[in-house]
Amino acid sequence: VQPPEKPLEAEEWNRLRESFPSPEIFEEVMFNSMVRCNSPIDVAKSLLTHVAKSNGDIAYNLLVKYLVLCVQQRQTSEICDVYDIMKIRFKILESGAYNLLIRGLSNSDQWRMALTLLEEVKKIMTPSRTNYESCVKAASRHQEMNLAFELYREMLAKDLIPTLDVLQAFFDFSRGMKGAELQKELFGILLYLRENQIYPHKTFMRSIKLWFESIPGENWRGHLTNIKDSGQCPVCNHQLEDSDLTEEEYNNLRERIIRDVIHGTDTFRKTSPQEFEAFQTFVENRLPFDIVIDGLNVSHIKPRRMQCENLFDAVNCLAKENARLLVLGRKHMLINSSNWKREIMKEMQNKADFFFAENISEDDAFLLYATLRSGKHCKFVTRDFLRDHKACLSNSLTRHLFRKWQRGHQISKKMFLSVFIQQPAFRYDCVVQTTGDTWHIPYKDTFEEKYSYQVPRKWLCIQQK
Amino acid sequence: MQSANMLLKKFVRSSVLPFAAQHGMKKDLFPVSRTLSLSLCLKQDNSCSPSEKLDLDAWKKVMKSGLQEEVSETVSEHKELSTLAAARETLEMWRLAGRSVPENISEEQLKTFMECPSKSAKKKYLRYLYHKELYKKNDRRKMDEKRERRLETQEQDSKTDETRRNSFICLWASCMDRAYSWRVAQSMIFGQPLVFDMSYEKDMSIREVANTVRQIVLSEGCNRRSVDPFHIHFCNFKDDSLYHKEFVKHYREAWGKLLITATDQCYTEVFPKDKLIYLTADSPKVMKTFDHDKIYIIGSMVDKSIKTGVSLARAKRLGLETAALPLEKYLLWNAGAKNLTLDQMMRILLTLKDTGDWKAALEFVPKRKYCGFVSRPVHELKKSLNLINTLKLGKRQEELRKQFTKNYSKKLMQK
């Protein structure tokens, strides 16, 4: 239905209602289309008046829909009125109405009322992150940075993940302000980005840059740049952090992989205890390897060729420079077949160590174990993104560690004109980082669709002159 | 509430009086008795003067005035609500806002609701209760309609003719019951065993256990009515388990008289190991024929979250032979997981046992999961199916991308 352009009289509404196919939901449908068309609120008011006069009451959902319209058009006084009415009518409100009220009021000069509403929400449920977003933005817009940070901390304490908009608001509204305390808080946000491996988008990055450059008397300068594969920043010649894990992180990750990925709820799901033990002794006796290869994955690189030839190429290519190789496979590879020729397999076994798992076991788990056991220098080769194994890890911190380690140690490759091109593992770590007088912040383009395994290639380099 | 009270006082003093005066209905308004009567007056009033300029804020006055005496009540009884009552209030508000929330909710359900770990879990649980309530209501309505219709026809019948004479007394149902029980009792002595492995309780949520039991109840029903029933064994069945509780809920007092064998022993203790075959969709081996000398095991598990390899792991641990149904071989699979419900498994096994015909047996696989029985070589059919799917999916992905960019730019514009 098309909402009318001018407020209507009662009879006119009645007529419209009767011409509507299902009159019992007429008001709801009408309000929905008003919200969609952003009709003037006078029209909505006239409908409300009509409803109030004919029923003596207005249903809650109609009030909420009217509220949507008011928030959409920033009619602050109207929002307050609706709130008063709701407050008299109902003991408590539900989250939808609170969301609207908080959003509507935080954008107006009545923003402090949004804060009291937030308190009210807290009494009955956990506020959503958008509730906090509105309040934080309102507070920082009015330069109440302490209040904003308090809300921000409260939000983190409730395990809510702040939107990038909130974080950006902090930088936008602290521009040009002086104060060691404030500066510390904002650095804290940058460290939060680092800890959670969040990459700001371009506009957010610009806000960060402008804030740094606006700090009075500190003389920060920001430049946009691309980091070389060597990990050196072309602007300040600073070497970025390498992607190695610390000793503690490394051991932690290894233990987690064994516990969550290989054993999980039941060791028999991926392998069997006997097989895993056999594999462990096999690895211990031949340590350390330089490169661990997922044989089956590599053997499918070129679909037209025989699978063992693919693997043979890969092994030959990687066997240079006396690297110690381990190839993981399954037992069916040993049976002479059209895809797996015994002679070629024999020849490969001279160049590399092979471990053949049962046909129903998962070789990826072994791949991870062997690589992690061999030490930090060891890399692994597979085109698999290992998402399912990452998902087995029980907490997000370990999952981040896994991604970081994977970035630094996975060699994925493309076969190109039968030449083997290695896509090198990253040497430097792609996170927000600082040395005190420099900051390096990776960012992504606004419209760039980034996959979780990709890291941005663009950086913001900030240094103090 | 304090503020509301203040506000009311203010509005009584300021807003209503001029409003009432303006409409010349002071005596109608005071004392205000009920909302309805008030609005009636307003309506009458309005109809008297249609040409008058519209008062757009009139609804506010109506909304505020109706509550005058109720407020004074609530102020006195307004205390700290208990958490349960507060949750009930919130649910009520959600219902008013038009969300999928059940009308009536029991204390127990409310507690389950409060224990849900996240907002989405809460929403999901409420939606489930809502739909349950809806189904129940519809069923009741249909039953009432049916009863009415029956009463009508009975009336007509009694008018038209007298009772017919019949050499059989109408005891059809109980006779059938007895015949079925006789058959199942026979099978308990001579029949082929079929094992339900009841050791998955810890892998399932409470609702999944309830679903499992429901499926087993259905399969037991089919088994009882078949020509040559299996001898059903519940192995690893603990007496104080959730399974047990759910079974009692379904069968009530019939649970004790059920013609099945329930034991807390493992099947490996009851039967010789070399005769057991564990049926699991993850098995690398595919079943070719139904073997009348073997004992098939079905895992009593509903896994909505697709935990792969759980039952295969169990068979591996015990060193049992495994098998999967030859779904790929006979059906052109389209969508959905290859694990079937327990009652579907039961029907398939019963049909296989009676006829040995795969085509007849696999009729019980849900139609939505496959496109048809394989007539041409599988790989050919698959190629065309893949083509159709990529065309469909390809288009959808394009749409999704467009949607994404549109939303994203909209979000940026709002800023």
Side-chain angles (χ1 to χ4, degrees):
Chain A
V1 284
Q2 191 67 31
E5 278 159 20
K6 272 181 290 198
L8 296 187
E9 300 269 346
E11 290 98 273
E12 291 171 297
W13 279 122
N14 263 335
R15 230 172 294 138
L16 262 184
R17 187 187 151 107
E18 269 149 30
S19 65
F20 190 70
S22 42
E24 61 277 6
I25 54 162
F26 168 74
E27 287 88 6
E28 255 177 83
V29 175
M30 185 50 93
F31 262 109
N32 282 344
S33 72
M34 279 185 202
V35 170
R36 202 170 46 244
C37 306
N38 206 7
S39 315
I41 61 164
D42 281 351
V43 181
K45 275 185 187 172
S46 78
L47 179 56
L48 279 182
T49 308
H50 167 63
V51 172
K53 284 188 179 173
S54 50
N55 297 343
D57 193 9
I58 297 170
Y60 180 73
N61 60 342
L62 288 190
L63 282 179
V64 173
K65 283 188 174 134
Y66 176 63
L67 196 57
V68 174
L69 201 64
C70 297
V71 171
Q72 203 165 294
Q73 303 180 4
R74 305 200 168 190
Q75 302 276 357
T76 311
S77 65
E78 222 31 51
I79 294 171
C80 294
D81 280 356
V82 175
Y83 174 60
D84 288 341
I85 287 170
M86 283 182 162
K87 204 62 215 166
I88 311 173
R89 273 273 136 139
F90 309 101
K91 252 191 222 162
I92 55 168
L93 306 183
E94 47 81 54
S95 47
Y98 277 127
N99 283 347
L100 285 166
L101 288 168
I102 290 178
R103 191 146 58 90
L105 291 172
S106 65
N107 279 330
S108 67
D109 46 356
Q110 298 270 13
W111 63 278
R112 277 191 194 276
M113 209 160 130
L115 295 181
T116 48
L117 276 171
L118 187 71
E119 291 303 313
E120 229 177 281
V121 176
K122 270 189 236 161
K123 272 183 215 153
I124 47 174
M125 62 195 138
T126 326
S128 69
R129 66 176 191 163
T130 43
N131 289 160
Y132 274 108
E133 179 184 329
S134 309
C135 292
V136 168
K137 272 185 173 171
S140 50
R141 192 178 305 124
H142 295 85
Q143 302 292 314
E144 299 246 0
M145 292 324 267
N146 283 338
L147 180 62
F149 276 110
E150 205 172 293
L151 286 170
Y152 169 70
R153 276 191 294 270
E154 195 179 296
M155 180 176 178
L156 290 186
K158 289 195 161 119
D159 277 338
L160 295 170
I161 298 159
T163 53
L164 286 185
D165 284 4
V166 170
L167 304 181
Q168 189 182 347
F170 281 121
F171 285 95
D172 279 340
F173 294 113
S174 330
R175 203 173 295 160
M177 282 164 80
K178 208 175 155 66
E181 202 51 37
L182 179 72
Q183 202 164 330
K184 215 176 98 194
E185 293 278 12
L186 288 170
F187 283 162
I189 291 179
L190 290 176
L191 291 177
Y192 175 83
L193 295 180
R194 174 190 168 87
E195 229 104 273
N196 295 285
Q197 303 195 20
I198 299 169
Y199 307 115
H201 49 72
K202 206 168 186 172
T203 42
F204 185 8
M205 177 277 295
R206 209 162 285 146
S207 305
I208 296 174
K209 182 169 175 276
L210 288 176
W211 173 73
F212 265 107
E213 288 170 347
S214 75
I215 304 174
E218 298 213 352
N219 224 354
W220 291 91
R221 279 289 155 268
H223 296 277
L224 307 186
T225 176
N226 291 313
I227 302 287
K228 294 178 209 154
D229 281 342
S230 62
Q232 202 181 33
C233 173
V235 182
C236 60
N237 293 326
H238 174 72
Q239 183 71 30
L240 293 189
E241 284 173 44
D242 60 25
S243 59
D244 284 343
L245 273 56
T246 64
E247 203 62 40
E248 195 189 339
E249 284 172 339
Y250 195 83
N251 291 335
N252 188 0
L253 179 64
R254 193 171 63 203
E255 269 157 38
R256 288 283 180 163
I257 292 270
I258 293 175
R259 208 182 71 195
D260 294 344
V261 179
I262 296 175
H263 293 305
T265 52
D266 187 351
T267 317
F268 283 95
R269 278 176 74 172
K270 290 200 170 145
T271 165
S272 67
Q274 294 89 344
E275 192 183 28
F276 184 57
E277 211 168 287
F279 179 69
Q280 269 181 315
T281 37
F282 173 88
V283 173
E284 297 300 327
N285 289 337
R286 289 170 174 78
L287 278 179
F289 298 103
D290 296 320
I291 298 174
V292 183
I293 303 168
D294 183 349
L296 279 172
N297 188 295
V298 168
S299 71
H300 284 95
I301 284 183
K302 284 189 106 188
R304 295 269 164 75
R305 297 184 76 197
M306 222 192 291
Q307 287 173 10
C308 62
E309 280 184 346
N310 276 332
L311 184 58
F312 189 65
D313 282 353
V315 169
N316 271 341
C317 180
L318 293 165
K320 285 176 226 155
E321 296 152 23
N322 290 332
R324 282 181 56 76
L325 303 184
L326 168 64
V327 181
L328 293 168
R330 294 216 179 100
K331 288 217 165 119
H332 70 79
M333 290 157 72
L334 285 171
I335 301 165
N336 204 6
S337 67
S338 59
N339 260 324
W340 299 98
K341 292 276 174 260
R342 190 166 286 156
E343 307 84 64
I344 303 180
M345 290 300 286
K346 275 264 160 59
E347 206 179 326
M348 272 194 279
Q349 272 164 306
N350 292 331
K351 298 194 175 183
D353 281 309
F354 272 73
F355 184 85
F356 297 99
E358 292 293 331
N359 290 340
I360 51 171
S361 295
E362 287 227 20
D363 49 359
D364 290 347
F366 291 152
L367 176 86
L368 295 177
Y369 177 78
T371 317
L372 281 165
R373 189 68 194 82
S374 294
K376 283 181 183 173
H377 71 286
C378 184
K379 307 249 190 312
F380 64 97
V381 183
T382 177
R383 287 181 303 172
D384 197 320
F385 289 121
L386 306 172
R387 291 190 186 99
D388 46 345
H389 302 293
K390 191 189 84 164
C392 288
L393 294 169
S394 49
N395 67 39
S396 65
L397 189 72
T398 326
R399 285 199 285 270
H400 280 314
L401 279 185
F402 180 75
R403 268 276 180 265
K404 183 175 169 186
W405 173 77
Q406 191 188 0
R407 273 202 298 273
H409 293 82
Q410 178 166 14
I411 305 173
S412 60
K413 47 201 168 154
K414 301 161 185 163
M415 284 290 268
F416 187 60
L417 291 171
S418 100
V419 184
F420 203 72
I421 297 176
Q422 280 184 29
Q423 197 172 306
F426 272 112
R427 285 215 203 120
Y428 57 93
D429 190 17
C430 192
V431 287
V432 176
Q433 43 194 281
T434 178
T435 56
D437 57 350
T438 63
W439 281 86
H440 286 89
I441 298 165
Y443 68 94
K444 54 187 185 192
D445 278 330
T446 317
F447 280 104
E448 185 182 24
E449 275 182 71
K450 195 182 73 59
Y451 296 101
S452 65
Y453 59 86
Q454 286 175 334
V455 286
R457 309 304 293 266
K458 295 180 175 172
W459 289 72
L460 168 67
C461 163
I462 302 172
Q463 50 181 326
Q464 204 167 16
K465 286 274 156 66
Chain B
M1 264 313 121
Q2 197 74 35
S3 64
N5 233 357
M6 285 295 291
L7 207 135
L8 260 178
K9 269 182 207 156
K10 212 166 75 187
F11 111 79
V12 166
R13 228 177 288 127
S14 62
S15 61
V16 171
L17 280 174
F19 169 67
Q22 179 193 338
H23 289 259
M25 37 173 257
K26 202 170 171 183
K27 64 176 192 306
D28 279 331
L29 242 178
F30 289 114
V32 182
S33 53
R34 283 267 118 203
T35 336
L36 251 175
S37 63
L38 168 71
S39 60
L40 258 174
C41 307
L42 282 172
K43 211 162 74 179
Q44 279 168 359
D45 181 61
N46 201 31
S47 60
C48 290
S49 52
S51 56
E52 201 182 17
K53 179 86 187 104
L54 267 173
D55 178 12
L56 289 174
D57 286 334
W59 62 276
K60 289 181 192 166
K61 286 155 198 158
V62 174
M63 288 302 285
K64 284 174 183 170
S65 59
L67 263 203
Q68 205 165 21
E69 81 275 47
E70 279 174 45
V71 166
S72 53
E73 279 167 33
T74 49
V75 167
S76 58
E77 70 175 346
H78 187 76
K79 279 175 198 151
E80 270 302 296
L81 288 166
S82 75
T83 45
L84 270 183
R88 206 176 272 278
E89 290 268 330
T90 326
L91 288 189
E92 180 58 23
M93 291 316 287
W94 275 344
R95 205 174 65 74
L96 285 181
R99 292 213 210 172
S100 311
V101 171
E103 224 169 294
N104 303 305
I105 187 163
S106 72
E107 203 85 334
E108 197 185 339
Q109 286 168 336
L110 204 61
K111 267 183 196 142
T112 325
F113 164 73
M114 305 255 287
E115 278 158 16
C116 287
S118 66
K119 269 186 190 170
S120 61
K122 279 181 182 168
K123 242 185 243 173
K124 221 181 253 175
Y125 182 64
L126 285 179
R127 198 173 311 129
Y128 157 72
L129 290 180
Y130 171 73
H131 284 294
K132 209 166 124 185
E133 194 178 54
L134 212 64
Y135 287 135
K136 231 180 202 170
K137 244 189 236 162
N138 276 343
D139 283 349
R140 196 167 303 142
R141 188 176 46 90
K142 273 179 202 160
M143 237 156 61
D144 287 345
E145 278 170 15
K146 214 173 169 183
R147 189 180 305 135
E148 248 165 56
R149 245 178 291 144
R150 203 172 50 218
L151 280 177
E152 266 172 37
T153 47
Q154 260 176 10
E155 259 170 42
Q156 282 171 358
D157 282 355
S158 62
K159 272 176 211 160
T160 48
D161 61 15
E162 62 277 9
T163 47
R164 291 199 197 92
R165 307 211 170 255
N166 199 328
S167 58
F168 295 109
I169 311 166
C170 200
L171 285 173
W172 181 246
S174 68
C175 275
M176 285 311 285
D177 264 353
R178 209 166 303 152
Y180 288 147
S181 302
W182 175 247
R183 260 194 229 148
V184 181
Q186 288 276 326
S187 84
M188 280 188 76
I189 307 171
F190 305 111
Q192 183 180 3
L194 179 77
V195 177
F196 281 97
D197 180 5
M198 313 293 262
S199 54
Y200 294 101
E201 201 175 291
K202 63 177 190 320
D203 292 310
M204 288 189 282
S205 67
I206 292 171
R207 256 173 76 193
E208 282 172 334
V209 173
N211 288 346
T212 309
V213 167
R214 208 185 146 80
Q215 289 179 12
I216 294 178
V217 169
L218 283 176
S219 1
E220 192 270 330
C222 313
N223 186 54
R224 194 180 341 151
R225 280 189 293 278
S226 73
V227 188
D228 181 16
F230 283 106
H231 175 196
I232 296 181
H233 283 75
F234 292 167
C235 287
N236 295 322
F237 185 77
K238 305 276 180 306
D239 261 343
D240 51 348
S241 58
L242 261 178
Y243 280 123
H244 185 228
K245 222 175 91 190
E246 285 290 325
F247 270 122
V248 172
K249 223 190 245 173
H250 268 283
Y251 280 114
R252 309 248 167 85
E253 54 275 14
W255 169 245
K257 290 181 271 179
L258 215 54
L259 293 174
I260 51 144
T261 305
T263 165
D264 60 351
Q265 284 180 305
C266 184
Y267 27 88
T268 47
E269 295 164 35
V270 183
F271 302 106
K273 239 182 182 177
D274 55 328
K275 286 215 159 185
L276 292 169
I277 296 184
Y278 211 116
L279 292 175
T280 161
D282 295 321
S283 170
K285 285 200 198 87
V286 172
M287 199 168 153
K288 288 213 175 65
T289 51
F290 182 84
D291 194 336
H292 293 269
D293 294 328
K294 295 280 187 194
I295 296 150
Y296 290 98
I297 307 168
I298 301 175
S300 310
M301 178 183 182
V302 169
D303 58 336
K304 292 197 168 158
S305 52
I306 310 287
K307 302 182 185 83
T308 46
V310 174
S311 54
L312 184 67
R314 188 136 308 167
K316 254 206 252 174
R317 181 194 297 276
L318 297 168
L320 298 178
E321 209 180 307
T322 59
L325 292 180
L327 299 174
E328 286 276 82
K329 192 177 157 198
Y330 289 98
L331 302 173
L332 183 59
W333 203 260
N334 180 28
K338 296 230 169 61
N339 48 2
L340 301 177
T341 61
L342 301 174
D343 52 310
Q344 284 159 10
M345 280 306 283
M346 180 59 115
R347 281 168 205 268
I348 289 172
L349 289 177
L350 280 170
T351 321
L352 281 178
K353 187 173 178 228
D354 292 343
T355 63
D357 179 2
W358 278 110
K359 190 157 191 255
L362 294 182
E363 285 288 344
F364 293 109
V365 177
K367 296 275 181 291
R368 64 171 188 280
K369 288 194 175 184
Y370 63 92
C371 296
F373 281 86
V374 172
S375 47
R376 284 180 288 161
V378 180
H379 63 268
E380 240 176 69
L381 289 167
K382 250 195 182 157
K383 225 184 254 170
S384 55
L385 187 70
N386 277 346
L387 197 69
I388 294 168
N389 276 342
T390 42
L391 282 175
K392 247 196 274 176
L393 280 179
K395 252 186 205 159
R396 230 188 42 219
Q397 268 167 359
E398 190 65 26
E399 268 166 33
L400 279 177
R401 192 168 318 127
K402 268 184 198 157
Q403 191 85 31
F404 173 79
T405 24
K406 211 173 102 189
N407 287 345
Y408 208 90
S409 53
K410 212 163 97 190
K411 210 175 142 202
L412 284 179
M413 298 265 281
Q414 277 173 358
K415 275 187 227 159

